[in-house]
Amino acid sequence: MILLVEDEKPIMNVLSSIIAEEFPNYTLHQATDGEMALKMIQENPYKLVICDIKMPKYDGIQVLESTMKHKPELPFIMVSGHGDIDLAVSAIKMGAFDYIPKPPDLNRLLLSVNNALSRENLIQENKELKNENKTLKKILKKEHQMIGVSKPIVHIKNMIEKVAKTEARVLVTGQNGSGKELVAHSIHQLSDRNGEPLVEVNCAAIPSELIESELFGHTKGSFTGAHKDKKGKFEQANGGTLFLDEIGDMSLSAQAKVLRALQEGKISRVGDDKEIAIDVRVIAATNKNLKEEISQGNFREDLYHRLAVILLEVPPLRERKEDIPLLIEYFCDKISVEQNMLRKKFHPDAIVELQNHPFTGNIRELRNIVERLMILGGEEISKKDVVCFVKV
């Protein structure tokens, strides 16, 4: 919307006609005195004000001065037939975008209007970008925080705070998708090693014949495909933290080398006898019962005792249902930014319905469900949407 403030009717008609024709996407409002203009500016989100200076009740300078106190970003183009350079200087100092003498040069006026509207659009885009950045910073700040107020999560948070500042090794257990990786990140961030890298290894995703090379590195020519020397994850994490995820899937031969590294603080690359000193804090995680794996001969008991100085068991989502509303809020913020989509609100009945869901996939499943509902659900996610789009 554009507001045109002019007390001379012939000039008002001419300017209105030209501006409406050149800027058809903007609604044009008219005010015939300063008092009317101030009231309309208070009530409407104008993108531009074109204002005469000499008017009854309040003059244009008074309108400009009053508006700048409350809406300093609103561009004003001042128009006056008196050609007073002092007025022009005063208007610009007060925040006016431009000053055009009467009779106005229409080409100059239209150029000034176009520039003012372009600036206003840029200001709006910058505001939206800043708001988006604030949301993103808020999300990133929470990225590796345990979200929740339930008793099990409060216990985990307290344990993390106690353990983080020590050098004790930690074994994190829990079901798939429950947040074991999040625990490892939280411990690292709160530790004195947080300025050094946190290096992650998914032991289940690496073939058994490559796990030793991945962990300890290799020398050129030590095996087929070893075209150059390579640092392993232990070396990459030197000074920081090494997170061995799904360690229950590690081969016995690799377990033996990890045990030696933990005992001696040294590793050797595959194909090289040279020992390399390492300073690494190890956090391990598994969804398996390692004591059962030990009894079945799949996991070394001595390695278990090296890793399990501190045991942290992450609860499944079904045991912390009161955290689901907070997790939904977090995932809504995160997904709206990632997918560049409008954030949707969940009706209380929809949240209750989700709290009754079994969540065998835990938090990972909840995240997927929230994303699905934001894409497929209505403007407000209802209980009906949950029933329709969430399969048990």
Side-chain angles (χ1 to χ4, degrees):
M1 290 188 290
I2 298 173
L3 175 61
L4 179 57
V5 189
E6 174 60 65
D7 62 326
E8 297 182 44
K9 190 172 182 179
I11 296 176
M12 171 77 83
N13 291 339
V14 171
L15 293 180
S16 296
S17 176
I18 292 171
I19 291 170
E21 182 179 349
E22 292 293 330
F23 301 95
N25 293 329
Y26 290 87
T27 302
L28 185 63
H29 290 178
Q30 298 177 348
T32 55
D33 60 62
E35 184 178 28
M36 183 189 301
L38 282 173
K39 183 179 179 183
M40 294 176 73
I41 289 169
Q42 289 174 355
E43 296 174 352
N44 296 282
Y46 292 113
K47 300 297 182 183
L48 172 64
V49 176
I50 303 170
C51 186
D52 190 16
I53 288 184
K54 295 296 182 179
M55 294 184 299
K57 297 185 179 179
Y58 293 106
D59 66 29
I61 296 295
Q62 290 173 307
V63 173
L64 172 66
E65 185 177 20
S66 177
T67 302
M68 289 299 103
K69 293 177 182 178
H70 307 290
K71 296 184 178 181
E73 75 285 353
L74 179 58
F76 265 69
I77 296 176
M78 309 302 294
V79 182
S80 175
H82 298 275
D84 191 333
I85 191 65
D86 291 334
L87 279 177
V89 171
S90 297
I92 297 299
K93 283 183 176 179
M94 286 180 189
F97 181 79
D98 200 358
Y99 177 92
I100 297 176
K102 287 183 181 178
D105 180 325
L106 294 181
N107 287 329
R108 182 186 165 189
L109 175 65
L110 293 176
L111 179 61
S112 184
V113 170
N114 184 68
N115 289 339
L117 292 173
S118 297
R119 190 193 76 159
E120 174 64 16
N121 290 336
L122 281 174
I123 290 172
Q124 184 60 33
E125 287 174 9
N126 285 336
K127 281 185 177 179
E128 291 172 0
L129 186 59
K130 285 179 181 178
N131 289 335
E132 185 176 310
N133 285 339
K134 284 180 182 178
T135 303
L136 185 57
K137 285 178 181 177
K138 178 183 174 185
I139 292 169
L140 290 174
K141 189 176 179 181
K142 289 184 177 180
E143 188 75 33
H144 294 126
Q145 289 183 6
M146 303 291 292
I147 295 172
V149 293
S150 64
K151 188 174 179 180
I153 284 302
V154 170
H155 172 71
I156 287 285
K157 287 179 179 179
N158 290 337
M159 288 290 289
I160 288 171
E161 288 182 8
K162 290 178 180 178
V163 169
K165 292 296 182 181
T166 73
E167 289 294 303
R169 299 186 192 103
V170 181
L171 178 62
V172 187
T173 62
Q175 296 178 359
N176 284 335
S178 58
K180 299 187 294 296
E181 180 183 354
L182 191 60
V183 171
H185 277 273
S186 297
I187 292 172
H188 177 72
Q189 285 186 342
L190 292 174
S191 76
D192 294 334
R193 295 175 176 261
N194 58 18
E196 300 297 331
L198 169 66
V199 177
E200 302 179 48
V201 182
N202 187 335
C203 302
I206 303 171
S208 57
E209 63 272 16
L210 295 178
I211 187 69
E212 292 183 34
S213 169
E214 191 71 19
L215 290 174
F216 307 108
H218 60 252
T219 58
K220 180 179 178 181
S222 56
F223 56 87
T224 303
H227 301 300
K228 60 181 180 179
D229 291 352
K230 176 189 173 184
K231 283 185 178 182
K233 300 298 186 183
F234 269 91
E235 284 186 79
Q236 293 173 29
N238 199 29
T241 304
L242 180 65
F243 176 45
L244 299 175
D245 197 10
E246 304 301 347
I247 197 167
D249 294 281
M250 183 182 286
S251 67
L252 286 169
S253 62
Q255 289 177 37
K257 285 199 171 185
V258 169
L259 177 63
R260 177 177 175 273
L262 298 182
Q263 288 174 331
E264 301 178 7
K266 298 175 183 177
I267 57 107
S268 295
R269 293 181 182 177
V270 175
D272 191 358
D273 293 332
K274 179 184 175 182
E275 291 186 332
I276 301 170
I278 49 148
D279 172 25
V280 173
R281 182 184 190 176
V282 172
I283 301 174
T286 182
N287 63 351
K288 294 184 175 182
N289 185 326
L290 289 188
K291 291 190 174 180
E292 287 184 4
E293 294 297 307
I294 291 168
S295 66
Q296 295 170 12
N298 297 324
F299 201 83
R300 295 180 63 112
E301 186 173 9
D302 47 4
L303 177 58
Y304 172 82
H305 290 301
R306 285 281 176 179
L307 294 171
V309 177
I310 302 294
L311 274 170
L312 288 179
E313 184 173 0
V314 184
L317 188 54
R318 64 177 177 273
E319 293 180 9
R320 42 178 296 213
K321 290 185 177 181
E322 57 265 54
D323 294 333
I324 288 176
L326 292 175
L327 289 164
I328 289 173
E329 286 291 307
Y330 168 68
F331 287 132
C332 281
D333 285 338
K334 186 175 176 65
I335 291 163
S336 65
V337 172
E338 289 177 350
Q339 301 284 1
N340 193 26
M341 61 191 297
L342 289 176
R343 191 186 186 286
K344 292 187 178 181
K345 183 179 178 183
F346 278 63
H347 190 277
D349 288 346
I351 293 175
V352 171
E353 186 69 20
L354 284 172
Q355 286 179 308
N356 292 326
H357 186 73
F359 285 111
T360 55
N362 292 296
I363 295 175
R364 191 176 296 137
E365 181 184 3
L366 175 60
R367 197 251 188 236
N368 291 342
I369 284 173
V370 171
E371 183 171 5
R372 187 186 315 149
L373 289 169
M374 285 182 67
I375 294 171
L376 301 177
E379 291 184 7
E380 180 181 57
I381 307 301
S382 64
K383 178 180 177 180
K384 183 178 178 181
D385 288 325
V386 175
V387 172
C388 180
F389 297 118
V390 179
K391 306 297 181 184
V392 179

